Amino acid sequence: MTGVAYLDHNAGVPALPQVVAAMAEVLAETGNPSAVHAFGRRARSRIEAARAALAELAGADPAAVVFTSGGTEANALALRGCGRSRVLVSAVEHVSVGGAVAGAETIPVDGDGILDLAALDRLLAADDTPALVSVMLANNETGVIQPVAEAARIAHARGALVHCDAAQAPGRLSLDLSGLGVDFLTLSAHKMGGPAGIGVLIGSKSDMDLAPILLGGGQERRRRAGTENIAGIVGFGVAATLQMGRMAAGGSGDGDAILGMRNLRDRLEAEAMARVPAAVVVGNRAERLANTSCLALPGVPAQVQVMALDLEGVMVSAGAACSSGKVEPSRVLAAMGLPPEVAGCAVRVSLGPASSAAEIEAFLAAWVALARRKGLDVSDAAEAA
């Protein structure tokens, strides 16, 4: 849409044209992948090709790839199906992890939103009940990258399994299951240019012990019952293949895209702080995703900012975009110890490879104008903009 600045890529990346085309082709076909006739075999072949692509993207065995209805179900399958009665999750996990298991223990983070590794070790040492630890690779709200490999080493030394929600990684971070050292990895298609409504749980072993949470069928090697979403799976596979192509292109692929997003993100933050001295950039002392900025405007509630920006054609989020359109206080920012006047006044700006300087300026113009209307001090640079 002309005149619209879409700066909410962490909530969902626009579907790639090749993905849409491949899905349209599948939707025009007939065939249940569990059927043994020609149409069924064709559908099965499409699913297995996508499975192989996802496995290659993560550096895993295709037999350890389980398709689900999305990242939320994949996270639930890992936490509920792992066979461990004790579950520990970081304080900044997505709600689909934090709310997946009743009674899950919380691993604290520091003021930068980084997992407290010493606290993790203490928690595991205090109770020898077989456990699973869940730590995300990068936070969806702040972009802060977690020390997953270090957490995995600590957890494994204490006999625990490790799950990692890596939904925000593709196109922004390298992804390697063995390098991370985790037992389970979650990916979501709509975070990487695929369709919404399809995700995957990937194990480090093809014979992983995983009990299904959906019963009533033998699909996905009896790990997830239900007729497969063929079109969604195919779209996911195409998105994964395209992602690998960009990675293989090196400097002309993902590297340049990541650098471009980082430059725009850094420009946005520098300009925001120069124009509105009261602005706060959350998590900027930590290593972050290149595309993500969590920006607070103290005194102006996040929901007010989101609505005001939307009226100006600028789309951002407050917190995670997974609450049926609700704008609620951020659990993540509260866990980082931020005061309410900051935690309740932060919006997330998340860029994509096609984001432009014009979109950044559109955000800044609308955001600074709002700050001025709310009585905040605005610098001369903003007055001249």
Side-chain angles (χ1 to χ4, degrees):
M1 292 175 60
T2 304
V4 168
Y6 180 71
L7 301 175
D8 200 19
H9 286 77
N10 284 11
V13 175
L16 298 165
Q18 300 95 320
V19 169
V20 174
M23 292 179 67
E25 182 178 325
V26 172
L27 289 169
E29 298 176 350
T30 300
N32 187 312
S34 295
V36 297
H37 52 61
F39 285 4
R41 294 196 305 273
R42 180 177 61 190
R44 173 57 54 193
S45 176
R46 287 187 179 278
I47 288 174
E48 297 312 317
R51 195 187 309 276
L54 268 298
E56 184 178 356
L57 177 65
D61 186 330
V65 172
V66 182
F67 287 112
T68 67
S69 64
T72 294
E73 186 191 332
N75 288 338
L77 177 58
L79 272 64
R80 296 182 193 174
C82 66
R84 300 297 174 96
S85 59
R86 187 184 182 205
V87 174
L88 299 88
V89 305
S90 88
V92 293
E93 291 301 307
H94 188 276
V95 68
S96 64
V97 168
V101 176
E105 299 171 51
T106 301
I107 312 162
V109 298
D110 64 18
D112 295 317
I114 299 173
L115 187 76
D116 186 334
L117 294 171
L120 168 63
D121 193 40
R122 287 195 301 271
L123 285 166
L124 290 171
D127 185 344
D128 60 4
T129 301
L132 176 129
V133 172
S134 186
V135 180
M136 64 186 358
L137 185 50
N139 188 266
N140 49 298
E141 295 184 38
T142 65
V144 171
I145 298 169
Q146 297 294 342
V148 173
E150 292 88 341
R153 283 194 288 271
I154 291 170
H156 286 154
R158 297 289 185 183
L161 296 174
V162 182
H163 164 257
C164 178
D165 181 347
Q168 296 293 343
R172 302 159 194 172
L173 286 175
S174 60
L175 191 64
D176 177 32
L177 186 64
S178 61
L180 290 173
V182 300
D183 300 285
F184 303 104
L185 186 79
T186 291
L187 294 175
S188 184
H190 73 285
K191 307 295 188 182
M192 52 188 289
I198 186 73
V200 71
L201 182 66
I202 304 175
S204 62
K205 301 176 181 178
S206 60
D207 60 348
M208 59 182 173
D209 187 9
L210 193 65
I213 59 175
L214 287 181
L215 306 176
Q219 293 87 352
E220 295 301 293
R221 294 180 170 83
R222 299 193 177 279
R223 294 164 178 158
R224 199 271 185 183
T227 301
E228 297 91 340
N229 174 3
I230 308 169
I233 289 171
V234 167
F236 200 176
V238 171
T241 299
L242 292 171
Q243 176 60 35
M244 287 185 287
R246 290 190 294 270
M247 291 165 58
S252 61
D254 258 7
D256 282 354
I258 292 171
L259 178 60
M261 290 187 291
R262 177 176 288 111
N263 288 340
L264 286 176
R265 192 272 312 273
D266 291 349
R267 173 183 169 183
L268 179 150
E269 293 178 349
E271 288 288 326
M273 296 179 74
R275 298 185 190 192
V276 184
V280 177
V281 179
V282 179
N284 62 337
R285 295 180 301 181
E287 184 181 3
R288 293 179 293 161
L289 295 174
N291 78 314
T292 305
S293 178
C294 184
L295 192 61
L297 193 59
V300 184
Q303 60 266 38
V304 172
Q305 296 181 58
V306 170
M307 290 186 289
L309 290 165
D310 186 47
L311 290 172
E312 298 298 324
V314 179
M315 288 173 273
V316 300
S317 282
C322 299
S323 301
S324 298
K326 297 178 182 178
V327 180
E328 300 176 341
S330 168
R331 299 166 43 257
V332 169
L333 303 190
M336 293 170 65
L338 294 172
E341 62 269 22
V342 175
C345 300
V347 297
R348 179 189 67 194
V349 182
S350 50
L351 314 178
S355 294
S356 67
E359 290 178 308
I360 298 303
E361 190 54 45
F363 168 84
L364 288 167
W367 192 74
V368 170
L370 174 63
R372 185 185 298 113
R373 292 197 302 272
K374 294 299 180 179
L376 276 70
D377 289 336
V378 174
S379 72
D380 291 340
E383 296 291 346

